[in-house]
Amino acid sequence: MFDFTNHTNIRAPRGNRLHCKGWGQEGALRMLMNNLDPEVGERPDDLIVYGGRGRAARSWEAYDAIVRTLLELENDETLLVQSGKPVAVFRTTKAAPRVLIANANLVPQWATWEDFNRLEEMGLTMFGQMTAGSWIYIGSQGVIQGTFETLAALGRKHFQNHTLRGRLYVSAGLGGMGGAQPLAAKMLEAVALLAEVDPARIEKRLATGYLDRVSPTVEQGVQEALRAKEAGEVVSIAVPVHATELLQYLVDHQITPDVLSDQTAAHDPLVGYIPDGYDVRSAALLRAADPAEYLKRARASIARHVQLMLTLTRRGARSFDYGNNIRRVAYEAGVQDAFEIDGYVPAYIRDLFAQGKGPFRWAVLSGKPEEIYKLDRLALEMFRENEALCRWIELAGKHIQFQGLPARIAYMGYGEREAFGVRVNEMVARGELSAPVVFGRDHHDTGSVASPFRETEAMRDGSDAIGDWPILNALLNVASGAHWVSFHHGGGTGIGYSLHAGMVVVADGSADSTGRLERVLHNDSGLGVVRHADAGYELAVQTLQKNPVKTPLLGPETQPRRK
Amino acid sequence: MFDFTNHTNIRAPRGNRLHCKGWGQEGALRMLMNNLDPEVGERPDDLIVYGGRGRAARSWEAYDAIVRTLLELENDETLLVQSGKPVAVFRTTKAAPRVLIANANLVPQWATWEDFNRLEEMGLTMFGQMTAGSWIYIGSQGVIQGTFETLAALGRKHFQNHTLRGRLYVSAGLGGMGGAQPLAAKMLEAVALLAEVDPARIEKRLATGYLDRVSPTVEQGVQEALRAKEAGEVVSIAVPVHATELLQYLVDHQITPDVLSDQTAAHDPLVGYIPDGYDVRSAALLRAADPAEYLKRARASIARHVQLMLTLTRRGARSFDYGNNIRRVAYEAGVQDAFEIDGYVPAYIRDLFAQGKGPFRWAVLSGKPEEIYKLDRLALEMFRENEALCRWIELAGKHIQFQGLPARIAYMGYGEREAFGVRVNEMVARGELSAPVVFGRDHHDTGSVASPFRETEAMRDGSDAIGDWPILNALLNVASGAHWVSFHHGGGTGIGYSLHAGMVVVADGSADSTGRLERVLHNDSGLGVVRHADAGYELAVQTLQKNPVKTPLLGPETQPRRK
Ligand SMILES: NC(=O)c1ccc[n+]([C@@H]2O[C@H](COP(=O)([O-])OP(=O)(O)OC[C@H]3O[C@@H](n4cnc5c(N)ncnc54)[C@H](O)[C@@H]3O)[C@@H](O)[C@H]2O)c1
Ligand SMILES: NC(=O)c1ccc[n+]([C@@H]2O[C@H](COP(=O)([O-])OP(=O)(O)OC[C@H]3O[C@@H](n4cnc5c(N)ncnc54)[C@H](O)[C@@H]3O)[C@@H](O)[C@H]2O)c1
């Protein structure tokens, strides 16, 4: 008998033995546990998965109740989770989702960190981030392709090169997501130099192969990086210091990185950012003793951080905000020109979104790495003509160590996702895979998020702040039969700054799964293309011409032909 | 052939001829049209249904496209509507909703009237109010029972009486919702005196039987009201003046009403409130010419309005904010003690919500008033032991004129709704009703809204601003198979102040409808009870003891017994 009651070293069951009454429930159970696997989550003892305080459940009591409920949940029942707490089970239908999740949603006038902190303190809410509270985090791999695609697009745009060979990438933060930076930079053949105040995080990236080495001081780290750049070497180096310490050194010594970014969890200044002059431990003491003072210092430090980034930008560094809202936090702390730094979505990712491409992923419940490699081969075979995808799959197979349940991320687009999902489901049915496969995605995707300083920054029609699309996305995924669907506020850019939805479907080899995969993967990504076509992106209109959706108010060329 | 293309004098088709491919679509089509029937909506020429600028569709072009799409929509397709504009049709399942609607949702930091107005101006959004953009408005009847229940509870609490006989009720605003006040007061045997600046609205209430008479001046109106009160008469009187003019007169003449409220659309100062010194026409000119100046004057006027209400309250009037957010708007304009005025939900309605009771309603697609009376008799028979409900149904049958499709509102509770819905569906199946019946409710209901100055004001556990519940409600209603589901921001208390969901199910006599009605009406109201039990309301816990829901983290006494 598998023991589901422990709270340390949580590890999801592997293989095709069912503990729940159906694979929808079992998938949710295993992915929840996988989020808290110490190989995967950042601080599982505190239920924190990644991204500042992105949690999987509100409390251990809530976690236990979710686990118990999933183990007993019938195939026509649906569990409701309110900010990480299971609040009710209702009878729905066999075709409906098994779990519906709403995390950190607040009435807009109260959507501030101050109110959120107060309500969290009262035990009434939880920060779900994007994939933490929605149970589809897959470790640092989850963001790595996004980072890779961003840096690749940057290379093409600014250096007319498909790699970053001979370029110096400087950034900070080696947390759950930030930890992907050194590896993504390496896959693009750059030299990466990263500041991280928490030595334990550096250790974790070294252990999981995301980082090559650590230098004890800034001076030494910078020298090594410059030597490597000179020598045309490809290497990633961390320095165990505050971001501003590294940047100040570069400014003082007239060293300008080619590419500059940041991945501290600046979106959540109270929990995700360590102020100047503090280490992890002293910061924790100040945070507990005087949160207001902590916030003041963290915001001042973020302001200084962005000032330094601006100085380096003006000296020629190609800089971008990589989705942690650091520009806005600095702007609110008085840095009026913070938005001179590019947002990565309009600068590098929008074209992918317009085609329905985004961080799609799958995990094999068998636990067998070779089944991921088998699926890699399937993808290479099915999408032979998609060069970028094939290049990615090959690089990923070579560079990425698995964390927890073996998984793969791939920016598949509209049309590709459902084709792939359905084929994989057939393989499960035929026993070519030894257990079901889970398909999901980040909330950071084409049609699932409204976030004016990130995914919807500078939309062509000015619709950045329109929040209807993620809501429609969540409702449509429920109607289409995803196994679990989530809707969050907050996430990557923090409280007040984004609304987003997630979905997961389990391919268990059944005809029921085929239907769900066809509908959900098609509709989910299709809505993203429609959202971009509606906003006036030509690439989206073209995508709809190839693979039409009925769009009552767009041009006739995007409409399915009548039979 | 029915003509669906006209834009004036819109009137939904009646009877059992299907124009769409299924009754889910047909119900949505007819209820959309019914919202814009001049008998029903307030300003149908501008697509405005009620509540300031609560619209049914974003533009006439969008309206036409919705109508066309509904006429063609297949029984396994789902139409998505983004702030009143139809954006896509996707294939879902037969059991899924036919329409999914998201209106006026904004990323919270941009959830201000300023940003909303800018985005509306750009053609990117629309204010959906609660039942306007979700196509289940039924005229002034939709709010009348709420007003009745509020006044009845007030009478019991403050006057130890089950009527308001011999009491003077003073208020303002005779719009779509406000127009219910004189009739509700009359049903409770009070004398009602109401200020309304727009003579056309007074005309409409007289014509529909919601109002008894109009007096040309404040002085005359007040004298008539006082005489009626003296004489123990039951009458409602409107005066065609600004609210502050009436209140100032009362203050100056030392006349204190027994009960005092307001139903101008103060939640939307730019569109819903006429500033002091303006009439409808001069206000429209100022609004067009200088919206900022308009807002300044409207807010100043609202501040004065609430000051006058406070003066009368301190002299002994029982006053309450009836859900138009007038206290908050005044507070922001400097009236620091605005919240001395009670909110009607915590003061009078919370107990109903805790039992899953709220503004449930049905409309007969036959168009035959006698079928509503038949359903009145069914309700009286089924719920014989529910005295309050029977009293209401009898009063409603006596006093309420139908507008548009004949409809009935009744605060049914958890358990009652689905029992009633299923019985009605059987009657449709047996031909005892000549056409299908539509069941829906206001967004203003037990488990469907988060609104800290209205439905969730002063929750026992402090969870007023928690926004997860309406999201879960919308997702659950989709999973349960409502025919259309909506999610709105704004609504009754305005942009920034509320999130809420709606659902409608069509009873067409089929087994499919039976299943939908059982699940949706049960789960929707059940979630409201759970939400209140979770917040610590004993009445909700007791309700769950009678009719259990699996609630993983509530006490065992609320759990269904194991078989
Ligand atoms: N672009 C994307 O696709 C994307 C995806 C996910 C997350 N994000 C955002 O990226 C940020 C990082 O996410 P994460 O999951 O890695 O967060 P995390 O909380 O797991 O890690 C943050 C890291 O930053 C370090 N740090 C904090 N302050 C520092 C400072 N002043 N100097 C140096 N290091 C410091 C912390 O020690 C920690 O290791 C978040 O804001 C998140 O919302 C972006
Ligand atoms: N408690 C509830 O259940 C509930 C339900 C629905 C709506 N509401 C709220 O009630 C308010 C009224 O809703 P509605 O649908 O009747 O709105 P509406 O826009 O249809 O009508 C508002 C009326 O107020 C009048 N008015 C505006 N300014 C005035 C002034 N200064 N003096 C006198 N009259 C003035 C207008 O001429 C109009 O007739 C809104 O704020 C709405 O959100 C409450």
Side-chain angles (χ1 to χ4, degrees):
Chain A
M1 277 299 287
F2 197 95
D3 178 13
F4 288 99
T5 63
N6 69 312
H7 292 173
T8 51
N9 294 317
I10 291 175
R11 194 168 180 274
R14 266 70 174 163
N16 67 3
R17 197 192 136 207
L18 199 53
H19 304 84
C20 299
K21 295 180 175 173
W23 280 105
Q25 301 89 303
E26 181 87 16
L29 177 65
R30 293 196 193 182
M31 295 311 288
L32 163 63
M33 295 176 75
N34 195 56
N35 267 14
L36 293 169
D37 183 327
E39 255 180 65
V40 181
E42 292 296 298
R43 288 164 48 195
D45 292 347
D46 301 324
L47 287 156
I48 287 181
V49 181
Y50 79 103
R53 57 183 120 166
R55 274 172 222 273
R58 200 182 310 173
S59 63
W60 285 110
E61 191 195 4
Y63 168 82
D64 288 336
I66 293 170
V67 169
R68 262 195 327 267
T69 308
L70 287 173
L71 285 168
E72 293 176 5
L73 196 74
E74 300 293 341
N75 286 314
D76 62 354
E77 286 184 334
T78 298
L79 165 63
L80 305 191
V81 177
Q82 182 257 323
S83 287
K85 173 178 159 183
V87 292
V89 171
F90 285 101
R91 195 167 69 76
T92 53
T93 70
K94 290 224 160 96
R98 295 286 71 86
V99 189
L100 299 171
I101 299 172
N103 284 326
N105 297 287
L106 295 171
V107 178
Q109 275 284 324
W110 289 261
T112 62
W113 277 114
E114 286 61 31
D115 278 300
F116 179 82
N117 291 339
R118 180 177 59 81
L119 292 162
E120 188 191 36
E121 184 83 9
M122 290 163 74
L124 296 170
T125 188
M126 167 193 103
F127 198 69
Q129 255 288 358
M130 297 186 121
T131 53
S134 60
W135 314 340
I136 189 65
Y137 184 70
I138 54 167
S140 298
Q141 185 180 173
V143 79
I144 194 169
Q145 193 185 1
T147 313
F148 175 87
E149 300 290 349
T150 300
L151 292 178
L154 185 151
R156 283 194 300 273
K157 183 160 166 181
H158 296 304
F159 309 127
Q160 290 73 49
N161 199 324
H162 75 286
T163 72
L164 290 178
R165 189 156 203 98
R167 305 286 171 180
L168 175 61
Y169 175 75
V170 169
S171 185
L174 291 173
M177 295 285 97
Q181 296 177 97
L183 186 52
K186 186 173 178 168
M187 288 162 98
L188 284 156
E189 306 173 31
V191 175
L193 177 61
L194 300 120
E196 165 58 63
V197 278
D198 183 354
R201 304 290 188 120
I202 296 181
E203 283 311 317
K204 182 154 188 167
R205 298 321 144 205
L206 289 169
T208 52
Y210 273 75
L211 175 72
D212 293 329
R213 55 180 197 254
V214 55
S215 282
T217 66
V218 171
E219 196 177 351
Q220 205 172 310
V222 170
Q223 291 319 320
E224 281 182 43
L226 291 179
R227 259 200 312 276
K229 179 176 164 169
E230 200 82 342
E233 258 182 73
V234 174
V235 66
S236 60
I237 304 163
V239 285
V241 300
H242 195 284
T244 56
E245 199 180 322
L246 172 59
L247 299 189
Q248 189 68 58
Y249 184 95
L250 297 176
V251 166
D252 292 347
H253 293 77
Q254 302 286 335
I255 300 163
T256 303
D258 299 292
V259 187
L260 177 63
S261 191
D262 182 65
Q263 279 278 271
T264 60
H267 72 277
D268 181 354
L270 182 61
V271 174
Y273 195 89
I274 308 282
D276 278 336
Y278 286 80
D279 61 15
V280 175
R281 193 181 293 258
S282 60
L285 292 174
L286 176 62
R287 188 185 294 121
D290 190 347
E293 180 62 25
Y294 187 103
L295 268 172
K296 218 178 89 193
R297 289 180 189 239
R299 285 175 176 148
S301 189
I302 289 170
R304 205 184 133 217
H305 186 157
V306 171
Q307 290 285 17
L308 290 165
M309 289 181 75
L310 284 166
T311 302
L312 292 169
T313 305
R314 287 167 191 154
R315 290 186 187 167
R318 302 297 182 172
S319 65
F320 62 93
D321 172 329
Y322 190 43
N324 64 351
N325 216 18
I326 194 165
R327 293 172 300 173
R328 176 67 186 196
V329 179
Y331 176 87
E332 283 172 359
V335 186
Q336 289 191 0
D337 36 13
F339 283 87
E340 273 182 32
I341 297 170
D342 282 338
Y344 75 108
V345 174
Y348 309 117
I349 295 288
R350 178 79 27 87
D351 279 358
L352 296 177
F353 281 168
Q355 298 166 76
K357 293 180 184 171
F360 186 55
R361 73 223 17 220
W362 51 92
V364 291
L365 295 183
S366 65
K368 296 183 181 163
E370 62 269 26
E371 301 200 340
I372 286 292
Y373 299 126
K374 196 178 244 182
L375 297 184
D376 282 352
R377 288 192 298 275
L378 175 69
L380 289 172
E381 177 201 305
M382 284 180 71
F383 306 111
R384 219 171 291 138
E385 72 304 340
N386 184 338
E387 218 178 291
L389 184 63
C390 293
R391 176 172 171 224
W392 168 255
I393 296 275
E394 270 157 9
L395 278 169
K398 207 160 82 190
H399 287 283
I400 296 175
Q401 269 187 37
F402 297 127
Q403 300 170 261
L405 285 167
R408 181 64 75 224
I409 175 117
Y411 268 57
M412 287 188 180
Y414 176 50
E416 294 169 338
R417 299 189 193 190
E418 67 268 26
F420 189 69
V422 167
R423 280 287 289 277
V424 172
N425 195 47
E426 288 165 10
M427 289 171 72
V428 176
R430 286 196 301 264
E432 290 166 38
L433 295 167
S434 65
V437 177
V438 158
F439 288 94
R441 58 161 175 76
D442 198 344
H443 287 198
H444 169 269
D445 199 7
T446 160
S448 53
V449 47
S451 185
F453 295 137
R454 203 163 106 167
E455 290 87 346
T456 54
E457 179 170 349
M459 292 296 288
R460 182 160 298 169
D461 62 346
S463 60
D464 310 21
I466 295 291
D468 297 322
W469 299 94
I471 302 264
L472 289 175
N473 180 267
L475 300 179
L476 180 62
N477 279 322
V478 177
S480 303
H483 279 107
W484 64 103
V485 175
S486 50
F487 192 86
H488 297 183
H489 160 232
T493 45
I495 292 298
Y497 290 102
S498 61
L499 297 174
H500 34 85
M503 63 76 194
V504 183
V505 195
V506 184
D508 67 3
S510 66
D512 174 65
S513 276
T514 304
R516 290 183 191 254
L517 289 161
E518 271 172 2
R519 294 186 301 269
V520 174
L521 302 188
H522 178 86
N523 295 352
D524 176 61
S525 153
L527 183 60
V529 183
V530 170
R531 193 260 179 276
H532 286 83
D534 187 70
Y537 290 92
E538 193 45 41
L539 206 49
V541 172
Q542 286 163 13
T543 304
L544 288 181
Q545 285 167 358
K546 278 179 250 158
N547 196 346
V549 173
K550 290 186 195 166
T551 46
L553 282 177
L554 284 179
E557 70 285 1
T558 60
Q559 306 305 306
R561 253 184 247 121
R562 281 175 187 278
K563 283 163 235 147
Chain B
M1 277 297 289
F2 198 93
D3 177 15
F4 288 99
T5 63
N6 69 314
H7 293 171
T8 51
N9 293 318
I10 291 176
R11 192 166 182 274
R14 267 69 174 163
N16 67 3
R17 199 193 132 205
L18 200 52
H19 304 83
C20 300
K21 296 181 175 174
W23 279 104
Q25 301 89 303
E26 181 89 15
L29 176 65
R30 293 197 193 181
M31 294 311 287
L32 162 63
M33 294 176 74
N34 195 55
N35 269 13
L36 293 169
D37 184 325
E39 252 181 67
V40 182
E42 290 297 300
R43 289 164 47 198
D45 292 346
D46 302 322
L47 287 156
I48 289 180
V49 181
Y50 78 103
R53 58 181 121 168
R55 273 173 222 272
R58 200 180 312 171
S59 63
W60 285 110
E61 190 195 3
Y63 169 83
D64 288 336
I66 294 170
V67 169
R68 262 196 326 269
T69 307
L70 287 172
L71 285 169
E72 293 178 4
L73 197 74
E74 300 293 340
N75 286 313
D76 63 353
E77 286 184 333
T78 298
L79 165 64
L80 305 190
V81 178
Q82 183 257 321
S83 287
K85 174 178 159 182
V87 290
V89 171
F90 286 101
R91 196 168 67 75
T92 55
T93 70
K94 290 223 160 95
R98 295 285 72 85
V99 189
L100 298 172
I101 299 172
N103 284 327
N105 296 286
L106 295 172
V107 179
Q109 276 284 325
W110 289 262
T112 62
W113 277 114
E114 285 65 28
D115 279 300
F116 178 82
N117 291 337
R118 180 177 56 81
L119 291 161
E120 188 191 35
E121 183 84 10
M122 292 164 72
L124 296 170
T125 188
M126 167 192 104
F127 199 69
Q129 254 290 356
M130 297 185 122
T131 53
S134 60
W135 313 339
I136 188 66
Y137 184 71
I138 54 167
S140 299
Q141 184 180 172
V143 79
I144 193 170
Q145 194 186 1
T147 313
F148 175 87
E149 299 290 349
T150 299
L151 293 178
L154 185 151
R156 283 193 301 272
K157 186 162 163 179
H158 296 302
F159 308 128
Q160 291 73 50
N161 200 325
H162 75 288
T163 72
L164 291 179
R165 187 153 205 102
R167 306 285 172 180
L168 174 62
Y169 176 74
V170 169
S171 186
L174 291 173
M177 297 285 95
Q181 297 177 97
L183 185 52
K186 185 173 180 168
M187 288 162 99
L188 283 155
E189 305 172 33
V191 174
L193 177 61
L194 299 119
E196 164 59 64
V197 276
D198 182 354
R201 305 290 189 122
I202 295 179
E203 283 311 317
K204 182 155 188 168
R205 299 320 143 203
L206 288 170
T208 54
Y210 274 75
L211 175 71
D212 293 329
R213 57 179 195 256
V214 55
S215 282
T217 67
V218 170
E219 195 177 350
Q220 204 171 315
V222 170
Q223 291 320 320
E224 283 182 41
L226 291 178
R227 259 200 311 275
K229 180 176 162 167
E230 202 83 341
E233 256 182 74
V234 175
V235 68
S236 60
I237 304 162
V239 285
V241 299
H242 194 283
T244 57
E245 198 180 324
L246 172 59
L247 298 190
Q248 188 69 59
Y249 184 95
L250 296 175
V251 166
D252 292 348
H253 293 78
Q254 302 287 335
I255 300 163
T256 303
D258 299 292
V259 187
L260 176 63
S261 192
D262 182 64
Q263 280 277 271
T264 60
H267 73 277
D268 182 352
L270 181 62
V271 175
Y273 196 88
I274 307 282
D276 276 336
Y278 286 80
D279 62 16
V280 175
R281 193 180 293 257
S282 60
L285 292 174
L286 176 62
R287 189 185 294 121
D290 189 349
E293 180 62 26
Y294 188 102
L295 268 172
K296 219 178 88 191
R297 288 180 190 239
R299 285 175 177 146
S301 189
I302 289 170
R304 203 183 134 218
H305 186 156
V306 171
Q307 291 286 17
L308 289 164
M309 288 181 75
L310 284 166
T311 302
L312 292 169
T313 305
R314 286 170 191 150
R315 290 185 188 168
R318 302 296 181 173
S319 67
F320 62 93
D321 172 330
Y322 190 43
N324 63 351
N325 215 18
I326 194 165
R327 293 173 301 172
R328 176 68 184 195
V329 179
Y331 177 87
E332 282 171 0
V335 185
Q336 290 192 0
D337 37 11
F339 283 86
E340 272 182 32
I341 297 170
D342 282 336
Y344 76 108
V345 174
Y348 308 117
I349 296 288
R350 178 79 25 89
D351 280 358
L352 296 177
F353 282 169
Q355 299 166 75
K357 293 182 184 170
F360 186 56
R361 77 231 4 230
W362 51 93
V364 291
L365 296 184
S366 66
K368 297 185 179 158
E370 62 269 27
E371 301 200 341
I372 284 292
Y373 299 126
K374 195 179 245 185
L375 297 184
D376 283 351
R377 288 193 296 275
L378 174 69
L380 290 172
E381 176 201 305
M382 282 180 73
F383 306 111
R384 216 171 294 136
E385 72 303 338
N386 184 339
E387 216 177 295
L389 183 64
C390 294
R391 177 174 170 220
W392 168 256
I393 296 276
E394 272 159 6
L395 278 170
K398 207 161 80 190
H399 288 282
I400 298 175
Q401 266 186 38
F402 298 125
Q403 300 169 263
L405 285 166
R408 180 66 74 226
I409 176 121
Y411 269 57
M412 287 189 180
Y414 176 50
E416 293 169 338
R417 298 189 193 190
E418 67 269 26
F420 188 68
V422 168
R423 279 287 289 278
V424 172
N425 194 47
E426 287 165 9
M427 289 171 70
V428 177
R430 285 196 301 264
E432 290 166 38
L433 296 167
S434 66
V437 178
V438 159
F439 288 94
R441 58 162 175 74
D442 199 344
H443 287 198
H444 169 270
D445 197 9
T446 159
S448 53
V449 47
S451 186
F453 295 137
R454 201 162 108 168
E455 290 88 344
T456 55
E457 178 170 349
M459 292 296 288
R460 182 159 299 170
D461 63 346
S463 60
D464 311 20
I466 295 291
D468 297 322
W469 299 95
I471 302 265
L472 288 175
N473 180 267
L475 300 179
L476 180 62
N477 279 322
V478 178
S480 303
H483 279 107
W484 64 102
V485 175
S486 50
F487 192 86
H488 297 185
H489 160 230
T493 46
I495 291 297
Y497 289 102
S498 61
L499 297 174
H500 35 86
M503 63 75 194
V504 183
V505 195
V506 184
D508 66 3
S510 65
D512 174 65
S513 275
T514 303
R516 292 182 190 252
L517 289 161
E518 272 174 1
R519 295 187 302 270
V520 174
L521 301 188
H522 178 87
N523 296 351
D524 176 62
S525 151
L527 183 61
V529 183
V530 169
R531 193 263 180 272
H532 286 85
D534 188 70
Y537 289 93
E538 192 47 41
L539 206 49
V541 172
Q542 287 164 12
T543 305
L544 289 181
Q545 286 166 357
K546 278 179 248 156
N547 197 345
V549 174
K550 290 186 193 166
T551 47
L553 282 177
L554 284 181
E557 72 284 1
T558 59
Q559 306 306 306
R561 250 183 248 123
R562 281 174 188 280
K563 284 160 232 150

